[in-house]
Amino acid sequence: MCTIGSAVFDISAPEYIIGDPFEIEPQSISSLRSARKRVCIVGEVCSFKCEEARGGGGMFITFGIFDGNATIEVRTRRLEAEDAQEISDTISNGMIVAAVGDVRPDKNSPDMLFYYSAIAKIKRLPREDTAEEKRVELHLHTNMSAMDALISPADAVNTAKRWGHKAVAVTDHANVQGFPEAMIAAEKAEMKVIYGLEAYFVNDSASPLFGEWDRAFSDEVVVFDIETTGLSVVTCKITEIGAVKIRDGKVVDRYSTFVNPECHIPEEITELTSITDDMVKDAPTVREVLPEFLAFVGDDLLVAHNAGFDTGFIRYVAKEQGIEFDSPYLDTVALSRYVNTDLKVHKLDAVAKYFGLGDFNHHRAVDDAEMLGLIYLKMLEKLEKFGIEDYGRLVSEIHANTDPLTLKTYHMIILVKNLTGLKNLYKLVSLSYLKYYRRVPRIPKSELDKLREGLIIGSACEAGELFSAIVDNRSDSDIEDIASYYDYLEIQPIGNNHFMVDEGRVPDEEALRDYNRRIVAIGEKLGKPVVATSDAHFLDPEDEIYRHILLAGMKFKDADKSCPIYFHTTDEMLREFAYLGEKKAHEVVIDNPNAINDMVEEVRPIPKGSFPPHLDGAEEELTEKCWTRAHNMYGDELPEIVSSRLERELGSIIKNGFAVLYVIAEKLVHFSESQGYLVGSRGSVGSSFVATMAGISEVNPLPPHYYCPKCRYSDFSNPDKVGSGFDMPTRNCPVCGEKLAQDGQDIPFETFLGFYGEKSPDIDLNFSGEVQGRVHKFTEELFGSENVFRAGTLGTLADKTAYGFVAKYFESKGESVCRAEADRIISHCVGVKRTTGQHPGGIIVVPREKEVYDFTPIQHPADDPKSDIITTHFAFSYLHDTILKLDELGHDIPTKYKFLEKYSGISVMDVAMNDRTVYELFATTESIGIPQMDVTDKETKMLGLMIGTLGLPEMGTSFIQQVLVDAKPKNFADLMQISGLTHGTDVWLGNAQDLIKNGICDISHVVGTRDGIMLDLIRYGVDKNLSFKIMEMVRKNKKGKPIPEEMVAAMREKEVPEWYIDSLRKIKYMFPKAHAAAYVMSAIRLGWYKVHQPVAFYCAILTVAPEGFDATVVARGRRAVVDTMRDINARWNDATQKEKDLFGAMQFANECMLRNIKFLPVSLEHSHAKEFLPEDGNIRMPFMSLPGVGENAALAIMNAREDEPYFSVEDLQLRAKLNKSVIEILRTNGVLDRLSETAQISMFDLF
DNA sequence: CAGTCGTCATCGCCATC
DNA sequence: ATGACGATGGCGATGACGACTG
Ligand SMILES: Nc1nc2c(ncn2[C@H]2C[C@H](O)[C@@H](COP(=O)(O)OP(=O)(O)OP(=O)(O)O)O2)c(=O)[nH]1
Ligand SMILES: [Mg+2]
Ligand SMILES: [Mg+2]
Ligand SMILES: [Zn+2]
């Protein structure tokens, strides 16, 4: 055993993994400040990296060793690939090691580096809960508490499990987004989770009137105010009391006196109140004043502004003097909020001004009381106008009319007891986000009362209602009223509230303990269990720094203040609450939390099973539609291949509940087309022939075939064994002589739904961005807005932002950390919730017989109450296997189609799929009239002119162009394969490309589409279902998880070649063939316009996707365009994203200019706001192509031009409401050249 | 006339297909 | 200098500008 700071390492059984065994006598890393030989260190491996050495020729490995306190960067010498691999296999992040080696300073930084000679694996003892009887944590924040907490739900669950706790609660701020991860971890660890949250509770049934008082307004009341030496009841004293007695709307008596506080009045208070030490030094003390004042009050109602404060002080001193004080009182702040709804600020002077009551000496009790008296009468007058004339009526009216959005929020813990409670909680969360959101989602008492079944309510922390009432020194009966609403009361460690001492709100820690003692006493009196909770925001004490970084990143002033809110063990808690006595401590730490846990049933936040929607007649409708369409295409007597495929697919689709989705999708396509926008095909659904027949997908997955559009003859023989129907020679119908249509991409249905419907795919559709919103609305109409929701997303703190936060944090502290340490800290900060958003197109469909609350709460994206979009509270990925989704994505291709048709007058659907000149685009620039340049010349490549694919979707990037040049595709099938090979990391480079280069196989046999994987494996003899599973695992493996041993073994058993298995291992993502087919089809279509309708092509592409296009560069001519590209290209890695976009646009513009199509300058008369318009064989650039002229300005210029031409710059600025920067941009770009500055000229003309 | 608030344009980052 | 998956859009921050307000 050895200790470094608070970290304890077990070195009793070292496992020597690199180098010779050595004696483990570690130094603390922070002590290594200078070069030393043969030092031993221990710690956790972090930030492990294995990189190719610069300039090739070997590898470098770097990692950090973190000993719980400091990190040192470890480097290796230059290594051979095999050695590097061996080390990578032995050492990994999170491993605890001891190492010996030399410490040397880094040449390039102030840090020290460690060069090891030997490494041993050891253990670090984590914090353990060794208590006999364990506590249960009922208040814990996961990293789903936005920018506030760091515990991953899995860590919470696993730590509690390791500690032997029976359960652990997940209680994030206002949301339940930690539930799904907690559920997954809990099921894996067989652990119980108590699901809950920490709500922002508002008491909308609170009234401004405290205590019993239901007389008429005309009865006598005492309006009063006090001045004090500060805000805290405990540490501050009264300096002045002022009061007026009011009866029948008139002041009938007054009381006013200074009070000697018997202490110094702080300067800032004197400044505010103008009450000095001098003024009060001869005044009576509160011991004399209080009885006098209370006698003045008698049995009257007390009225004060923020009365809790004033009565709190009076009550405190009364108690000190052994005088009973329980007068009813009314708070005019609350009353003003209710009466003066048009007022935002309800401070005394603001309200006085509001009623026009003139100036007064604010912050002097005598004057404030007088003024408040007047205000009070005004408010009563106002109420009387509404027929409210007594206090009883007032209270009931207020209850009925309070706006929860204006009330003070209190923290409150809500735990889920059972499934009823879970659903109620989801409803409450939804309400809080959708209806009661202001700054935070609020849960009003009135709603909670309605939905309280199945929920357990706890009093939460210092920001809870109970704790606040105690701090404010509210009356015993008030406090007990509050406490009685809760099912249990919470107390927390002193450290949690220590900030109150620091801020001077309480004198010392003892006062904090007194608060906890008070809560314990209240619990005893009311019979409410009191439980001790951590209010954990991070797991271990040493993790506090990560929270500081988060808070500092959010620019919080007090970010670096210590607040040790870690997950406490039982013993830590028992020690913490020892001051309550051993027995009581045991009760609040162990017994009561366990008792609460015993009330809680185990529930699953997302139900098991899948819940497809139903729609009467959907199955029949789909079936009918498909057969009809099939007969229309392939004849009355369907070829076997067609009918058997239809039957098989329909069976599977209907059985797995997908028919409804098909039917809805079909209606959506119809809807979009009715709006004038074609729909782009996408995704695995193109593997379904039913989708083709239903018109959802234009990909035909049948084998290559001919069919006659006239007589419905068909031929599936495919004698040339081509890979795509589009690649067959053209033929005329042997029956009727008509030219035959050709189609068929040969795709298995199973890519979509699996062999046994074991997959939960979605249906993907590409809609023009211009109709996407309408399509979403239409889906709601089709299936009901109660059942259709946009999927929500969760935005988290990821690498780059975390890096910025960490850098900023240490910079502001004037400290520096080594890269390994920075990376380690970053890795701990990553994953914390920041915001919510909307899924690109995912629309989930809840079956009619269910409610959305059976699956997830709902909310607005980014919590924005003004948004008219409602999203699922849970990210879709967690609902993936439970409910179905339609992916109604936005895409530019359908919009491009629209503009191509508009500018060329040629229908997209008439474009042939087998025009040779179009295929030539993928091999040369000749077919667009640009003489072929040398493809081996770097300049050619830079210009993007090795081939003619610039502007073709997903075919025009440098990378893909290079692959096309190398692979020389000849037909549609080749292009599909290349499409697959060029979409995904480690698919082509370092994988397929090498296999081809090394002659191991040719391009048609490398892994290019995911369907290929399944079919290849089946061909090798691997079980078809396992083949399917391997395909599914390989196709999205972004993190590079290894293929499970049993899968590898099954492949080896069937003699699947090692290179093939290796290839699969590397793949990070892979297209389904259907998607490749759909995208190549659109590339071919756009290519046709590129060859045959160039002006329309360039106009359409630029109009729809103008990113990076800069009219100021293009206007300077082709030279300038090329120079700009050269410049950016020369410093590519330092170029900004904007410059990279500009580069792409300039490639495209250059190609266009080489085809003798000119870009005409932006023109006040001729330019469109955003469209690049064809103009006499050239292209007129739009206003928006000028950087700095945004959509609004551009549209304004165009729209105001409609009425009459602009006759001066002034006229333009006025009519189009342009600001001066836009005018300047227009001026410098010559747009205003022919316009006079003001209307003077025309004025002149009049005379 | 300084301060505040909303709007617009743009950018970096992030999530997702 | 290298290598490189492509595309789309939402959210938050920032800065310039101008209207409004006390
Ligand atoms: N280039 C590229 N395209 C992607 C990526 N992810 C998805 N796509 C494209 C290709 C997919 O077929 C299409 C639809 O995505 P989905 O997530 O719905 O997956 P897909 O339909 O392929 O399979 P599914 O059966 O729905 O699980 O979007 C990606 O990472 N890169
Ligand atoms: Mg899909
Ligand atoms: Mg999808
Ligand atoms: Zn025919």
Side-chain angles (χ1 to χ4, degrees), chain A residues 14 58 115 182 236 289 318 333 505 528 588 620 636 761 775:
Chain A
Y115 293 84
C236 304
V289 171
V333 173
R505 282 166 58 186
K528 301 276 179 189
V588 298
E620 293 74 15
D636 297 334
V775 173

Side-chain angles (χ1 to χ4, degrees), chain A residues 682-684 759 761-762 764 983 1010 1035 1069 1071-1072 1075:
Chain A
R682 141 174 230 151
S684 63
K759 191 160 155 283
D762 57 2
D764 303 283
H983 290 90
R1010 69 171 80 134
R1035 67 121 151 170
Y1069 173 76
F1071 272 170
H1075 183 80

